[in-house]
Amino acid sequence: MSGERDTRRESQITTDTDTIRNWGETHEAVPVRYEEGGETRMAFVRESDLEEHHEQLDWTDFETGMDEHEMVAVRHDDTDEMEIVDRNEVVGHAAITDEDVEERLLEGETVRSEFTERSVVERTIVEEVTVESEVTDREMIESDTVDAELISREVEDCEVTNVDMTDTGIEALNTFGTGTRSEVECDVDVTIDEAWTVTKENVERVTIESRIVETDVEETDTLESDTIRETVDLEGVERTVLQGELVDSKHAADRAIEHGHVESRFRDDDTIETHLIRSQVVEEDLSIRRMVSGEVRDAETLSSETISHTAVESDIVEPAEYDRDLAAEREAGMEDTESLDEDERTTAAETVEADETMTTGEAAMPSEDDEGKTVVNASGDEIGMVTAVDDGQMYVDPHPSITDRIRTALGWSGHDDEDTYPVENDHIARIEEDEVVLGVDRKG
């Protein structure tokens, strides 16, 4: 059930600029302009109540706007409320019947009148509406990669798939020295894992659907509503939707709505459909695996070490073949010895004595650290390898090529069926970093 309700109150109506300015200053209100429903509106707002969508005007621009839009100022005596309304509307609502009084108003005078407001009353009011929203469609309009940063690069695997086995023969001797360079061709596959951060700017068209799922209804008097749509604040729905995942802040949402960048409408099924275009900067973490294949050929010799020394063939040759005269060299050596002064003779004698002591004097004491070392005689020929050291006793696996004389000197003759043989410490001349030197020569 509905009915009409009239409200009458005393009001002052005027177009006089001095009166209007006085009203504003008295109530600490300033003139503003704003957009609503596609129309430009004007109003008085207390400075403490100014909002972002209000454009504050100076009094000159305000007065010009009132003239252009044929508006008047109304102040209601009961509340001191002030509003700016259309001149034809106020004449229709005010109890003005005297044409002379209406003319006075249009000429700028202040007219006191009863101002009538009419409303149509219904019994039902919707106090609160619950709306659920979801993004139902996305269309990528543009996507640009603006930055890419390499975070890490690690070798996961390295495999040599082919090595050049060409024998260069004696020419290779030139590359045996430490630091020399050569060419050795290899085919290599390297697996590399990379981590990247990529920054993109995406522009997409987004569609959101919002549905009314619950209403809180109270039985009371209110203004008439033809449908539930009139109770829903579309801008409120838009702000709620935008402040979810679509924008970073309330300010960004308000700015988009204020500038009309969001479009919302009711569909026939009372679903609110909202369309907007969003620009978003996105950072993506990427994991990349690469296979790097190639050929390697530049080689540098880092070290050169003799692993073993074996006499393959021995013979006595004529000294003249190598432009040597052994007799002359012997005599020259004797003359050099005779020319030594007393100190040099003493030094030489001490050196000889030390060598003899090394060979026949105090024996060197082997240890477990010597296991695996090559054993050579006094002439440098390989005799065998140290296989074990037990309580200072060294055991040697002999080389098959050693002479019977050396076997006899070491006490190994008559024991050919054994794998290892002991070496008495008095046969050890010295123990070096990579070999043990015996005081037994190769003559026999």
Side-chain angles (χ1 to χ4, degrees):
M1 181 176 181
S2 63
E4 290 189 357
R5 179 177 61 194
D6 291 349
T7 301
R8 298 178 181 271
R9 51 180 172 173
E10 290 289 327
S11 303
Q12 297 182 57
I13 309 168
T14 186
T15 57
D16 180 62
T17 56
D18 291 337
T19 301
I20 296 172
R21 183 179 303 189
N22 182 61
W23 288 353
E25 293 174 350
T26 300
H27 296 86
E28 297 181 351
V30 295
V32 298
R33 178 169 52 206
Y34 62 97
E35 298 291 327
E36 183 179 280
E39 296 182 0
T40 300
R41 298 182 179 275
M42 303 176 71
F44 284 113
V45 178
R46 294 183 183 276
E47 294 186 12
S48 59
D49 296 334
L50 284 173
E51 298 182 8
E52 290 185 3
H53 68 283
H54 290 146
E55 177 189 357
Q56 185 174 342
L57 303 175
D58 59 31
W59 286 104
T60 301
D61 291 341
F62 176 71
E63 294 163 1
T64 301
M66 287 190 61
D67 289 340
E68 290 179 354
H69 297 289
E70 296 185 347
M71 307 187 81
V72 298
V74 179
R75 188 181 73 171
H76 303 295
D77 292 347
D78 55 346
T79 61
D80 283 336
E81 175 188 353
M82 296 181 294
E83 56 181 332
I84 307 298
V85 297
D86 182 87
R87 186 178 298 167
N88 292 330
E89 179 182 347
V90 78
V91 169
H93 283 276
I96 300 176
T97 56
D98 191 329
E99 293 182 1
D100 180 56
V101 174
E102 182 176 345
E103 184 67 24
R104 287 165 48 208
L105 173 64
L106 300 179
E107 289 179 356
E109 295 185 24
T110 300
V111 178
R112 181 173 296 276
S113 175
E114 289 184 351
F115 197 88
T116 304
E117 297 177 347
R118 294 184 175 86
S119 301
V120 177
V121 176
E122 287 286 346
R123 289 192 316 117
T124 304
I125 178 173
V126 178
E127 289 287 345
E128 185 177 345
V129 176
T130 302
V131 178
E132 287 185 354
S133 302
E134 64 175 335
V135 176
T136 58
D137 187 44
R138 295 176 184 267
E139 176 191 355
M140 188 65 69
I141 298 175
E142 185 177 294
S143 180
D144 295 326
T145 300
V146 297
D147 190 27
E149 179 183 0
L150 176 63
I151 305 302
S152 65
R153 176 176 286 152
E154 298 179 357
V155 175
E156 178 67 21
D157 184 45
C158 181
E159 179 182 3
V160 178
T161 58
N162 181 51
V163 179
D164 183 5
M165 298 297 293
T166 303
D167 182 5
T168 58
I170 198 168
E171 295 180 1
L173 291 175
N174 297 327
T175 68
F176 287 175
T178 302
T180 58
R181 307 198 76 85
S182 59
E183 289 188 0
V184 180
E185 294 186 359
C186 300
D187 293 333
V188 180
D189 289 340
V190 181
T191 304
I192 296 178
D193 287 339
E194 298 175 348
W196 289 81
T197 297
V198 177
T199 304
K200 294 182 177 181
E201 286 186 358
N202 295 335
V203 179
E204 59 180 344
R205 183 179 185 274
V206 181
T207 299
I208 304 109
E209 291 184 358
S210 304
R211 297 174 180 82
I212 300 170
V213 296
E214 183 180 351
T215 57
D216 184 7
V217 180
E218 180 182 342
E219 296 291 328
T220 185
D221 290 346
T222 186
L223 296 180
E224 179 183 37
S225 297
D226 294 333
T227 67
I228 193 65
R229 300 185 181 191
E230 296 183 16
T231 69
V232 177
D233 178 11
L234 284 182
E235 288 190 4
V237 173
E238 291 174 346
R239 284 186 173 86
T240 301
V241 169
L242 293 184
Q243 290 177 39
E245 62 167 313
L246 296 177
V247 294
D248 298 330
S249 66
K250 177 180 181 299
H251 177 69
D254 291 342
R255 185 175 63 249
I257 295 171
E258 179 181 347
H259 289 84
H261 297 164
V262 182
E263 178 186 342
S264 297
R265 67 179 183 88
F266 274 101
R267 295 199 314 228
D268 293 341
D269 59 354
D270 286 340
T271 297
I272 303 169
E273 189 175 80
T274 301
H275 299 278
L276 56 92
I277 295 178
R278 180 182 65 169
S279 174
Q280 190 176 41
V281 178
V282 178
E283 281 193 354
E284 297 180 349
D285 293 330
L286 302 183
S287 177
I288 307 295
R289 171 163 289 189
R290 303 183 191 274
M291 173 70 77
V292 181
S293 301
E295 183 180 276
V296 180
R297 63 171 61 239
D298 186 19
E300 177 184 358
T301 302
L302 300 180
S303 64
S304 178
E305 180 182 358
T306 301
I307 303 302
S308 64
H309 177 88
T310 304
V312 178
E313 183 179 349
S314 300
D315 196 6
I316 305 302
V317 298
E318 183 180 356
E321 186 178 343
Y322 295 95
D323 296 329
R324 305 295 293 270
D325 186 341
L326 297 182
E329 291 178 359
R330 180 178 61 81
E331 293 177 358
M334 293 177 62
E335 291 176 356
D336 290 341
T337 302
E338 292 173 354
S339 65
L340 294 174
D341 57 25
E342 185 176 352
D343 291 339
E344 292 173 331
R345 288 176 184 272
T346 301
T347 302
E350 291 174 349
T351 301
V352 172
E353 182 180 355
D355 290 341
E356 291 175 350
T357 302
M358 179 70 75
T359 304
T360 60
E362 297 180 2
M365 181 62 69
S367 67
E368 292 182 359
D369 294 337
D370 300 322
E371 293 179 0
K373 291 184 178 180
T374 302
V375 181
V376 299
N377 62 12
S379 300
D381 297 328
E382 183 177 345
I383 291 177
M385 183 181 70
V386 179
T387 59
V389 177
D390 186 9
D391 290 334
Q393 176 66 61
M394 184 173 70
Y395 295 87
V396 176
D397 181 10
H399 195 283
S401 65
I402 66 173
T403 65
D404 290 338
R405 178 188 178 282
I406 294 176
R407 286 179 176 273
T408 300
L410 293 173
W412 294 351
S413 58
H415 300 279
D416 292 339
D417 57 337
E418 296 185 17
D419 294 332
T420 61
Y421 297 87
V423 175
E424 299 301 330
N425 291 350
D426 57 1
H427 286 305
I428 301 174
R430 62 185 181 276
I431 299 176
E432 298 182 350
E433 183 178 352
D434 57 353
E435 64 183 8
V436 177
V437 182
L438 303 183
V440 181
D441 62 20
R442 59 183 168 185
K443 296 178 181 179

